[in-house]
Amino acid sequence: MLTRATLPARRIKVAGIRLNKDKRRALVDRIAAAMSRSEPTAFSLEGELRHRLRSSLCRQGADWILADLLAAAIVEDALRKVGAQRPTWQQGQPEWTQEGVIYIQRTRCIRCRWKLPPGHRKYCSQLCAQAHLHALERRFNAADGRAFAYAPR
């Protein structure tokens, strides 16, 4: 099994493509320059740049797996060069606002946007709760390939 560790950092020959230390450094510099200008974070271009580099290597004759590993390693080095740090799992959640998870305090019903009565946290009534959950179920079933059952006749 090929991994990042099996790719030597100094000189790589991938299906006839020679990538020495200087060429690799130039690639990392170009990708790092693009990532440093990307908004909102350096990670926003990570997938696209990895894809472009991998497809370029494949067009030059490299195997897809080797090209993907090499592209991943170069993009990883570029991210390290710009000082990008991946957020923790907790920080990546929609509810995250500071250390720990702070739940959204709602003042309006999720379905009808009516003001929530005291003691209610998401829905203003049982009717709204059931209607919202049924709508979600219909959407799930439609996405599951049963959309024809809900189409107007």
Side-chain angles (χ1 to χ4, degrees), residues 128-150:
C128 266
Q130 288 178 344
H132 186 72
L133 294 175
H134 285 297
L136 291 176
E137 182 182 13
R138 282 192 304 274
R139 189 180 308 157
F140 174 76
N141 288 339
D144 197 27
R146 293 177 264 178
F148 64 91
Y150 301 105

Side-chain angles (χ1 to χ4, degrees), residues 38-42 44:
S38 68
E39 289 293 327
T41 68
S44 60

Side-chain angles (χ1 to χ4, degrees), residues 84-103:
Q85 281 191 322
R86 293 198 185 276
T88 63
W89 178 87
Q90 204 171 29
Q91 292 168 334
Q93 302 311 302
E95 301 90 13
W96 189 84
T97 55
Q98 40 183 292
E99 279 308 315
V101 174
I102 296 177
Y103 294 102

Side-chain angles (χ1 to χ4, degrees), residues 11-77:
R11 181 175 284 256
I12 299 172
K13 184 178 180 187
V14 180
I17 300 166
R18 295 184 84 72
L19 187 63
N20 62 19
K21 189 168 59 171
D22 295 331
K23 287 181 183 177
R24 183 185 174 102
R25 187 178 307 130
L27 270 174
V28 169
D29 290 343
R30 278 185 28 204
I31 290 174
M35 287 180 161
S36 66
R37 292 188 307 266
S38 68
E39 289 293 327
T41 68
F43 297 108
S44 60
L45 291 178
E46 178 183 17
E48 182 181 351
L49 291 170
R50 180 174 172 177
H51 163 72
R52 286 183 179 189
L53 185 57
R54 178 182 59 229
S55 63
S56 173
L57 290 169
C58 286
R59 280 191 306 263
Q60 295 174 34
D63 291 337
W64 191 93
I65 292 173
L66 291 173
D68 185 52
L69 288 170
L70 181 58
I74 289 172
V75 168
E76 182 183 320
D77 290 346

Side-chain angles (χ1 to χ4, degrees), residues 100-121:
V101 174
I102 296 177
Y103 294 102
I104 300 168
Q105 180 155 357
R106 300 182 188 279
T107 58
R108 299 281 177 177
C109 176
I110 290 175
R111 181 175 175 269
C112 69
R113 307 291 183 236
W114 192 259
K115 189 173 182 178
L116 288 177
H120 292 247
R121 295 189 341 166

